[in-house]
């Protein structure tokens, strides 16, 4: 009777718990078919509609409230989704095939249904003790899911899948011993995502309860859940679970346990090999080398090639055919052109002519044997190495082999190549070359609203691309703001919680949600109904429980603005700008000196004349550090290409991605440094953004050979920032990191020798009262000279190239070179590469008229002296220090190159920061000066200047993209030919 009274008085919460258990456990059996799709309406939809109707009744009677921390973000997301779908149905759908308005409407209603359960769960939580019931339901549900999954593996329990049209009809399926376990879910990926959400919650609760029996039950549930996750053979979920658990342990302040998790990650292959070898095999087959037979004349893929003994053909009828009459072998095991279903034409191929090791070809398949779309399975096949040339190959139709008592083999004559190629497995091939490009096409139709719901396929296997494709940037941002708002509420309320159990639940839930957010990069977790319903039910329960601990309501608008303008948000914005501006370069092929680095990387893999130091990886890398062979001292860069080459060979995309990421990290370092110098987060952010769009240094980002420069620049900045952090906090590990960063930067490029001067400059800027003598007497500052001394000694012993040719100094012309180079780098920073022709003409004229150049230099120095003297009297001391810092940073970073006989754009990379910092400072002063004319005018003028500057440089970056792409295409065509 007590339970009955509790249910009747808390019926909404009872419905919540029922849905939390029923939805994961009940199979997805179809009830109502939907026209134009094989998706069905199921019993859970009717139950949820019923509960929503009950909740609306309570809302009308004012028993519950629609007011929650997520109400406004969710409503905005729904509105944008509706607008995107209306726009798609009216303007886009009429021009597309295979899209239907009724499916779009139901897809939109589906999103409303998913998120509606949040309001139900949030309203249902009225007491703190309700969370205990939720925990018991989660434990019970997970145990049933695990037991049913084990039953599928070992006792032939049926599965009800929805992964294709036939499975979705609800027929029970008995899995084979090698099948991936889905348990009560519609697919193994859905189950894996559910486990990623639930396991961190229960694992976190181990630290929230003291009773032994409860902790034992929790531990058993977690262990069984992890074992079941292995059975799903989901690679991404397996990795993400470790990330989630590490995050949970970090916030539980169990640092030793975090280390244990890291150790387990390294030991995981041993356990996987023992208990679930299929998972390890899937990891191994993600990218795998295969032999591919290619038509030498057309470059077209014929199929996978393998050597078989002649005895393989003993019982087969072999017919000789001319491949010239056959266009290709397709993935469905038929031959186009001269169809083999017609009466056999050709000569019989005597068995005695079959080589002892014959090349047998099967249609293009993934390394795992799963069918792939034709022409999409291989990575950079056109430039893959040729294993051998063939005049004949044998072909067998697999279906014919199984069906015929007298199977046929066909011997084809022609000109063929066997290439060793890398191939993605089916999952990644489908994503990279099928689902994801379709989503991006849908996004490109309208970047703000996308193409509307149901405008792309049922599966995209990336929820973020699905959001962009269906609802555009606005839908993407509005959806993420829901999670951001949830995070804000948790952060603002967490310290008010007085219950260890509730704290542990919130930590585990947060870790699980982060895991789903990572999972969404490769799986449609937010569209999988069982996962989505559970996620939003738990979100409602969590935030509803936190509401009971709030001492005041969170000002969501204010907190969102603060979050969206935080340093973390600015870093995210910098990443987005980096992708938008520089991602076109990723497909550019190698040019010029790129091949020199690859030649060095491949020295130890050639068949002839292998150097003696190639006996092992360690000896090879040691050689890079001890011998330069007359070249510049670049052991870091050589090691980078040496380690990358065996894995990625001539796949230019990976190398460009590394350059792009390095450039992004440099921009982040500049943002952090500018924020400290200008004492303004907004001005620091503006400095980072202007640095990203500056075109003067574009070569260093686009040219793979310049990767070493990027590494060096990044570690130079890290060394400076770590030393500043040490100066502020006096924690030894910051100083150690500064020394290590300086040492690493020198291994990639000698520009790192300026680090002590940059550190000195930053310390002088931060500590106004510090004198020169005080700074140079700091032992830690003097210690920065030690890596430079060691570097010089190692470079000398390695017989490195020092100066000569373009990399030399002429003492007679040194003053002229310094002035001319400074002027050229200033033009590069502010005007971009379009200034180079003018600079070259001016330099040639000045070289021919040195007396005139001398007079001009004297006049410039005199003008600068008098202008500086006059400005010194007018400019405030703190402003003068910023100006001097920018100028000196620009000059100091150029010191190793400023005396050369010409300029190179990549040398301006680090130095451009100083000038951009001055430009941002000038923008600030302009804004303050114009405030007397009105804030709107001041903002308008500054906006025009910034837009004009950005446009000037972005256009030049686009031109550089075009030029480098054209050069790469020519190099690629040459090698292919």
């Amino acid at each position: 009777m007590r339970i009955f009274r509790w249910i009747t008085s808390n019926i909404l919460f009872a419905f919540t718990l029922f849905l939390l258990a029923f939805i994961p456990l009940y199979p997805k059996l179809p009830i109502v078919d939907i026209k134009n799709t094989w998706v069905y309406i199921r019993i859970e939809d009717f139950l949820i509609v019923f509960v929503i109707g009950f909740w609306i009744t309570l809302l009308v009677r004012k028993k519950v409230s629609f007011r929650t921390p997520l109400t406004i973000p969710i409503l905005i997301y729904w509105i944008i989704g509706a607008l995107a779908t209306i726009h798609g149905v009216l303007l886009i759908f009429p021009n597309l095939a295979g899209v239907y308005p009724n499916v779009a409407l139901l897809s939109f209603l589906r999103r409303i249904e998913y998120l509606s359960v949040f309001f139900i769960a949030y309203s249902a939580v009225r007491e703190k003790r309700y969370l205990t019931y939720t925990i018991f339901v989660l434990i019970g549900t997970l145990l049933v899911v695990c037991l049913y999954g084990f039953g599928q593996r070992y006792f032939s329990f049926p599965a009800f899948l929805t992964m294709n049209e036939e499975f979705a009809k609800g027929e029970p399926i008995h899995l084979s011993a090698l099948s991936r376990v889905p348990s009560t879910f519609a697919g193994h990926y859905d189950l894996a995502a559910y486990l990623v959400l639930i396991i961190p919650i229960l694992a976190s609760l181990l630290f929230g309860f003291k009773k032994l029996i409860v902790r034992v039950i929790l531990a058993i549930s977690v262990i069984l859940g992890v074992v079941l996750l292995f059975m799903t053979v989901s690679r991404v979920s397996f990795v993400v679970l470790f990330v989630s658990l590490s995050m949970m342990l970090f916030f539980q302040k169990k640092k030793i346990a975090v280390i244990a998790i890291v150790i387990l990650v390294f030991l995981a292959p041993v356990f996987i090999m023992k208990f679930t070898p299929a998972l390890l095999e899937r990891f191994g087959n993600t990218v795998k080398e295969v032999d591919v037979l290619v038509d030498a004349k057309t470059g077209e893929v014929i199929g996978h090639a393998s050597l078989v003994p002649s005895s393989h053909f003993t019982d087969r009828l072999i017919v000789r055919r001319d491949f010239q009459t056959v266009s290709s072998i397709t993935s469905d095991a038929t031959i186009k052109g001269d169809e083999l279903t017609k009466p056999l034409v050709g000569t019989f191929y005597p068995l005695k002519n079959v080589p002892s090791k014959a090349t047998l070809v099967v249609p293009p398949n993934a390394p795992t044997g799963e069918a792939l779309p034709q022409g999409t399975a291989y990575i950079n096949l056109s430039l893959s190495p040729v294993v051998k040339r063939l005049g004949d190959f044998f072909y067998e139709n697999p279906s014919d082999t199984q069906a015929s008592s007298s199977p046929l083999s066909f011997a084809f004559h022609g000109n063929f190549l066997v290439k060793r190629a890398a191939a993605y497995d089916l999952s990644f091939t489908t994503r990279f070359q099928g689902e994801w490009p379709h989503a991006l096409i849908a996004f490109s139709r309208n970047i703000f609203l996308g193409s509307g719901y149901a405008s792309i396929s049922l599966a995209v296997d990336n929820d973020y691309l699905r959001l962009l494709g269906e609802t555009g940037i606005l839908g993407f941002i509005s959806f993420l703001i829901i999670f951001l708002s949830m995070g804000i509420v948790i952060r603002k309320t967490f310290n008010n919680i007085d219950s260890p159990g509730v704290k542990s639940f919130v930590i585990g839930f947060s870790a699980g949600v982060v895991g789903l957010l990572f999972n969404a990069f490769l799986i449609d977790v937010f569209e999988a109904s069982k996962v989505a319903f559970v996620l939003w039910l738990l979100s409602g329960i969590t935030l509803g429980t936190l509401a009971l601990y709030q001492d005041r309501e969170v000002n969501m608008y204010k907190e969102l603005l603060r979050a969206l303008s935080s340093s973390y948000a600015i870093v995210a914005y910098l990443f987005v700008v980096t992708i938008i501006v520089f991602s076109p370069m990723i497909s550019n092929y190698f040019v010029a000196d790129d091949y020199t680095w690859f030649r060095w990387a491949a020295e130890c893999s050639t068949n002839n004349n292998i150097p003696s130091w190639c006996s092992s990886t360690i000896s090879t890398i040691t050689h890079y550090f001890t011998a330069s062979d007359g070249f510049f001292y670049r052991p870091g860069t050589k090691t980078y290409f040496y380690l990358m080459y065996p894995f990625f060979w001539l796949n230019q995309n990976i190398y460009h991605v590394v350059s792009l990421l390095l450039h992004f990290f440099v921009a982040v370092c500049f943002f952090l440094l500018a924020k400290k110098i200008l004492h303004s987060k907004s001005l620091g952010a503006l400095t980072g953004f202007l640095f990203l769009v500056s075109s003067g240094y574009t070569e260093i980002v686009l040219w793979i050979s310049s990767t070493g420069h990027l590494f060096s620049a990044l570690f130079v900045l890290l060394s400076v920032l770590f030393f500043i952090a040490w100066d502020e906090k006096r924690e030894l590990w910051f100083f150690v990191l500064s020394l290590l960063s300086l040492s690493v930067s020198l291994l990639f490029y000698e520009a790192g020798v300026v680090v002590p001067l940059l550190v000195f400059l930053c310390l002088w800027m931060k500590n106004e009262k510090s004198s020169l003598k005080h700074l140079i007497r700091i032992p830690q500052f003097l210690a920065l000279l030690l890596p430079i001394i060691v570097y010089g000694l190692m470079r000398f012993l390695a017989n490195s190239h020092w100066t000569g040719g373009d990399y030399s100094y002429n003492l007679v012309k040194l003053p002229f070179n310094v002035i001319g180079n400074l002027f050229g780098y200033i033009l590069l920073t502010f005007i971009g590469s379009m200034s180079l022709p003018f600079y070259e003409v001016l330099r040639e004229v000045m070289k021919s008229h040195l007396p005139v150049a001398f007079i001009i230099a004297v006049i410039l120095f005199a003008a600068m002296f008098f202008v500086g003297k006059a400005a010194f009297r007018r400019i405030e001391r703190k402003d003068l220090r910023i100006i001097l810092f920018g100028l000196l940073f620009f000059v100091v970073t150029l010191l190793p190159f400023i005396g050369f006989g010409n300029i190179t754009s990549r040398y301006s990379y680090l130095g451009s920061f100083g000038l951009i910092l001055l430009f941002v400072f000038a923008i600030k002063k302009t804004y303050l000066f114009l405030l007397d004319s009105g804030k709107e005018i001041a903002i308008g003028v500054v906006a025009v200047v910034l837009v004009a500057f950005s446009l000037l440089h972005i256009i030049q970056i686009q031109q550089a993209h075009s030029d480098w792409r054209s050069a790469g295409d020519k190099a690629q065509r040459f090698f292919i030919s």
Side-chain angles (χ1 to χ4, degrees):
M1 291 297 295
R2 181 180 298 178
I3 295 176
F4 179 76
R5 285 196 300 270
W6 182 89
I7 291 176
T8 54
S9 61
N10 300 278
I11 191 167
L12 190 60
F13 188 67
F15 281 147
T16 301
L17 294 183
F18 174 74
L19 292 176
L20 196 60
F22 178 84
I23 290 174
L25 295 178
Y26 191 78
K28 298 186 74 171
L29 299 175
I31 295 179
V32 179
D33 189 10
I34 299 175
K35 186 180 179 182
N36 301 319
T37 180
W38 45 268
V39 175
Y40 294 84
I41 296 176
R42 309 176 194 279
I43 190 170
E44 70 223 35
D45 298 306
F46 291 102
L47 290 173
I48 290 170
V49 169
F50 170 77
V51 177
I52 291 173
F54 179 76
W55 178 83
I56 292 174
T57 302
L58 296 179
L59 181 66
V60 172
R61 298 179 60 188
K62 297 186 178 181
K63 298 293 184 179
V64 297
S65 173
F66 197 41
R67 185 180 182 85
T68 76
L70 302 188
T71 300
I72 299 301
I74 289 174
L75 289 176
I76 292 174
Y77 170 67
W78 284 343
I79 291 170
I80 292 174
L83 293 175
T85 304
I86 292 171
H87 165 267
V89 169
L90 292 178
L91 301 178
I92 295 178
F93 282 29
N95 301 315
L96 297 178
V99 292
Y100 306 98
N102 72 308
V103 179
L105 173 62
L106 291 172
S107 298
F108 170 64
L109 294 177
R110 189 72 156 165
R111 270 63 174 192
I112 294 178
E113 181 186 18
Y114 287 155
L115 285 160
S116 294
V117 298
F118 166 80
F119 298 102
I120 295 169
Y122 185 89
S123 303
V125 179
R126 299 178 179 178
E127 297 181 30
K128 297 176 182 179
R129 62 188 177 91
Y130 282 10
L131 190 61
T132 304
Y133 301 115
T134 302
I135 294 169
F136 287 140
V137 169
L138 289 179
I139 293 173
T141 304
L142 178 61
L143 289 175
V144 174
V145 168
C146 292
L147 293 176
Y148 195 86
F150 299 151
Q152 286 177 331
R153 170 57 59 87
Y154 301 109
F155 302 104
S156 299
F157 285 11
F160 298 88
L161 308 178
T162 62
M163 293 183 293
N164 59 47
E165 187 171 359
E166 288 302 315
F167 287 173
K169 293 178 180 179
E171 294 295 329
I173 299 171
H174 294 280
L175 305 176
S176 70
L178 300 177
S179 296
R180 302 162 195 172
V181 173
S183 186
T184 57
F185 286 71
H188 60 283
Y189 284 134
D190 297 359
L191 171 60
Y194 173 80
L195 295 173
V196 165
L197 176 62
I198 301 301
I199 290 175
I201 297 175
L202 301 185
S204 180
L205 288 170
L206 284 167
F207 305 103
F209 288 94
K210 294 183 179 180
K211 288 186 177 181
L212 181 61
I213 183 64
V214 176
R215 300 180 76 173
V216 169
I217 294 173
L218 287 168
I220 292 173
S221 302
V222 170
I223 292 171
L224 292 178
V226 172
V227 173
L228 184 62
L229 180 63
F230 285 157
M231 292 183 178
T232 66
V233 198
S234 174
R235 291 164 293 188
V236 60
S237 298
F238 172 77
V239 174
V240 164
L241 179 63
F242 278 105
V243 174
S244 298
L245 291 176
S246 300
M247 176 184 170
M248 178 272 293
L249 293 171
F250 177 80
F251 284 110
Q252 286 280 11
K253 299 181 181 179
K254 308 294 181 182
K255 296 181 179 179
I256 296 178
V258 174
I259 297 173
I261 286 288
V262 174
I263 295 174
L264 279 175
V265 170
F266 289 100
L267 295 179
V270 179
F271 293 100
I272 295 172
M273 178 65 77
K274 180 70 175 176
F275 298 105
T276 55
L279 180 59
L280 191 64
E281 183 181 356
R282 286 207 77 206
F283 274 109
N285 285 334
T286 302
V287 178
K288 190 174 181 179
E289 285 192 340
V290 291
D291 288 334
V292 183
L293 188 71
V294 176
D295 189 332
K297 292 184 178 180
T298 65
E300 186 176 2
V301 176
I302 299 173
H304 285 186
S306 61
L307 287 177
V308 296
S310 58
S311 58
H312 173 83
F313 301 94
T314 301
D315 299 325
R316 304 186 67 84
L317 176 64
I318 305 175
V319 179
R320 184 181 181 89
R321 305 297 297 272
D322 185 356
F323 193 74
Q324 306 303 318
T325 63
V326 180
S327 60
S328 68
I329 300 177
T330 65
S331 59
D332 60 355
T334 62
I335 295 186
K336 295 180 180 178
D338 184 14
E339 297 181 5
L340 296 179
T341 54
K342 296 179 180 179
L344 296 178
V345 178
T347 59
F348 289 98
Y349 195 93
L351 185 62
K352 63 181 180 180
N353 291 337
V354 177
S356 59
K357 290 291 185 179
T359 299
L360 179 68
V361 169
V362 295
N365 286 327
T368 57
E370 297 172 287
L372 286 170
Q374 186 177 2
T376 64
Y378 312 108
I379 304 171
N380 210 11
L381 178 63
S382 61
L383 293 168
S384 295
V386 175
V387 176
K388 63 179 178 180
R389 297 178 179 274
L390 295 175
D392 295 274
F393 77 88
F394 293 85
Y395 169 78
E396 294 178 356
N397 188 324
S399 59
D400 175 71
T401 302
Q402 299 172 1
S404 175
S405 58
S406 301
L408 292 173
S409 291
F410 296 90
F412 288 101
H413 177 71
N415 187 12
F416 311 105
L417 302 174
V418 176
K419 288 193 169 189
R420 179 65 50 83
Y424 292 117
D425 69 356
L426 175 63
S427 297
F428 284 95
T429 300
T430 304
R431 290 179 175 96
F432 294 160
Q433 303 184 24
E435 296 166 348
W436 292 4
H438 293 159
L440 290 173
I441 291 172
F443 171 61
S444 66
R445 296 189 187 109
N446 187 319
I447 62 172
F448 294 106
L449 290 174
S451 296
Y453 288 125
S455 59
I456 50 183
S457 60
L458 287 174
V460 177
D461 287 329
N462 185 314
D463 255 314
Y464 305 111
L465 290 180
R466 175 183 288 280
L467 281 166
L468 290 171
E470 292 184 331
T471 59
I473 293 175
L474 295 178
F476 176 83
I477 293 174
S478 64
F479 186 74
L480 292 186
I481 284 178
I482 297 175
F483 289 96
L484 179 59
S485 302
M486 191 188 307
I488 289 172
V489 174
I490 293 173
R491 179 176 175 273
K492 299 295 288 186
T493 314
F494 186 77
N495 291 331
N496 296 338
I497 302 173
D498 55 9
S499 168
V502 176
K503 276 192 172 183
S504 295
F505 183 90
V506 173
I507 290 174
F509 171 74
S510 302
V513 171
V514 170
L516 285 187
L517 290 171
F518 279 111
N519 229 357
F521 281 103
L522 291 172
I523 301 175
D524 294 333
V525 292
F526 302 123
E527 313 305 323
S529 61
K530 286 178 178 284
V531 179
F533 283 131
V534 172
L535 167 64
W536 296 116
L537 283 168
L538 288 176
S539 299
I541 292 171
T542 303
L543 295 195
T545 303
L546 289 175
L548 301 176
Y549 289 91
Q550 285 181 351
D551 50 9
R552 58 183 175 181
E553 188 175 1
V554 177
N555 187 334
M556 191 56 64
Y557 177 75
K558 181 179 178 181
E559 293 298 331
L560 276 174
L561 285 181
R562 182 180 299 174
L564 293 174
S565 60
S566 66
S567 295
Y568 298 106
I570 291 171
V571 170
Y573 304 149
L574 288 172
F575 181 74
V576 172
V577 172
T578 305
I579 296 297
I580 292 173
V581 176
F582 289 98
S583 59
M585 77 179 190
I586 292 177
S587 61
N588 294 353
Y589 201 65
F590 307 102
V591 295
D593 290 353
D594 296 345
Y595 300 104
T596 302
W597 295 107
F598 286 121
R599 179 178 65 82
W600 284 327
E603 276 183 312
C604 293
S605 60
T606 56
N607 294 324
N608 300 315
N609 301 322
I610 297 179
S612 59
W613 40 265
C614 287
S615 58
S616 67
T617 299
I618 295 177
S619 64
T620 302
I621 296 176
T622 301
H623 175 79
Y624 293 153
F625 280 81
T626 57
S628 293
D629 302 323
F631 186 68
F632 294 100
Y633 193 63
R634 304 282 190 270
T637 310
K638 284 186 175 181
T639 301
Y640 164 74
F641 282 101
Y642 173 75
L643 296 177
M644 293 283 283
Y645 182 77
F647 292 98
F648 304 109
W649 195 59
L650 295 181
N651 184 6
Q652 74 279 7
N653 306 67
I654 303 299
Y655 299 92
H656 280 306
V657 167
V658 172
S659 296
L660 189 146
L661 291 176
L662 289 172
H663 182 47
F664 159 68
F665 289 130
V666 169
V668 172
C669 290
F670 276 147
F671 156 62
L672 297 175
L673 186 57
K675 185 173 69 169
K676 290 183 176 294
I677 300 302
L678 299 176
H679 304 290
S680 169
K681 184 165 55 181
S682 58
L683 293 179
L686 182 59
T687 304
F689 284 117
L690 292 182
F691 169 76
L692 279 179
V693 301
S694 180
S695 63
Y697 57 75
T698 307
E699 173 190 83
I700 197 173
V701 186
L702 301 182
W703 195 13
I704 291 173
S705 291
S706 297
T707 305
H709 294 254
L710 289 170
F711 273 112
S712 178
L714 175 61
F715 284 105
V716 164
L717 293 172
L718 287 176
S719 181
V720 173
L721 288 171
F722 282 134
F723 199 95
I724 293 174
W726 170 83
D727 183 61
E728 293 173 347
K729 301 180 181 179
R730 296 290 168 167
E731 295 182 9
L732 180 61
W733 68 281
F734 282 120
F735 173 70
V736 173
L737 288 175
S738 179
L739 280 179
L740 289 175
S741 298
L742 169 56
S743 303
V744 173
S745 73
L746 292 168
L747 299 179
F748 286 93
Y749 206 71
E750 55 264 21
V753 298
V754 302
V755 165
L757 293 176
L758 294 179
V759 168
F760 171 80
L761 189 59
C762 292
L763 293 180
W764 169 78
M765 184 67 200
K766 288 179 73 278
N767 307 309
E768 297 185 14
K769 298 180 180 179
S770 298
S771 63
L772 175 63
K773 291 183 179 180
H774 170 73
L775 292 174
I776 63 176
R777 287 177 182 174
I778 299 176
Q780 287 79 4
F781 175 74
L782 296 175
L784 290 176
L785 299 176
L786 182 61
I788 297 176
I789 295 172
V790 174
Y791 163 75
L793 181 62
M794 291 178 63
R795 181 168 178 164
F796 174 77
L797 295 176
N799 191 31
S800 167
H801 178 78
W802 292 83
T803 62
D806 293 335
Y807 303 93
S808 61
Y809 303 97
N810 187 316
L811 295 180
V812 176
K813 298 180 180 180
L814 186 62
F816 299 100
N817 287 336
V818 169
I819 296 171
N821 289 344
L822 283 175
F823 179 69
Y825 286 124
I826 291 172
L827 288 179
L828 265 178
T829 301
F830 288 117
I831 302 178
S833 56
M834 64 186 299
S835 65
L836 285 175
F838 167 75
Y839 168 77
E840 295 293 344
V841 171
L842 182 63
R843 190 180 187 100
E844 288 300 320
V845 172
M846 293 296 103
K847 283 173 63 176
S848 304
H849 303 84
L850 285 181
V852 176
F854 177 77
I855 294 172
I856 293 176
V858 171
I859 294 173
L860 285 175
F861 269 112
M864 291 171 61
F865 174 78
F866 288 111
V867 170
K869 186 176 181 180
F872 183 80
R873 298 171 181 172
R874 295 174 176 268
I875 299 176
E876 296 181 14
R877 182 176 177 82
K878 62 177 182 179
D879 293 344
L880 183 63
R881 290 173 71 89
I882 292 175
I883 294 172
L884 288 175
F885 174 85
L887 292 174
L888 290 174
F889 192 99
F890 171 67
V891 174
V892 166
T893 52
L894 287 172
L895 282 178
F897 326 109
I898 204 171
F900 289 164
N902 211 330
I903 66 173
T904 300
S905 62
R906 61 183 178 275
Y907 294 156
S908 69
Y909 187 66
L910 271 176
S912 63
F913 169 73
L915 296 182
I916 292 174
L917 187 79
L918 292 180
F919 180 65
V920 171
F921 181 69
I923 290 290
K924 173 190 172 184
K925 289 298 180 181
T926 303
Y927 173 78
L928 295 175
F929 174 78
L930 292 173
L931 277 178
D932 292 338
S933 303
K935 187 175 181 179
E936 295 79 7
I937 293 176
I939 293 174
V941 171
V942 167
V944 169
V945 173
L946 292 176
V947 169
F949 180 88
S950 302
L951 183 62
L952 171 69
H953 286 275
I954 288 174
I955 289 175
Q956 293 181 77
I957 291 175
Q958 293 298 315
Q959 182 59 50
H961 280 312
S962 177
D963 294 340
W964 283 85
R965 183 182 298 109
S966 176
D969 289 344
K970 291 178 181 178
Q972 188 173 19
R973 286 196 297 269
F974 170 77
F975 279 106
I976 292 175
S977 64

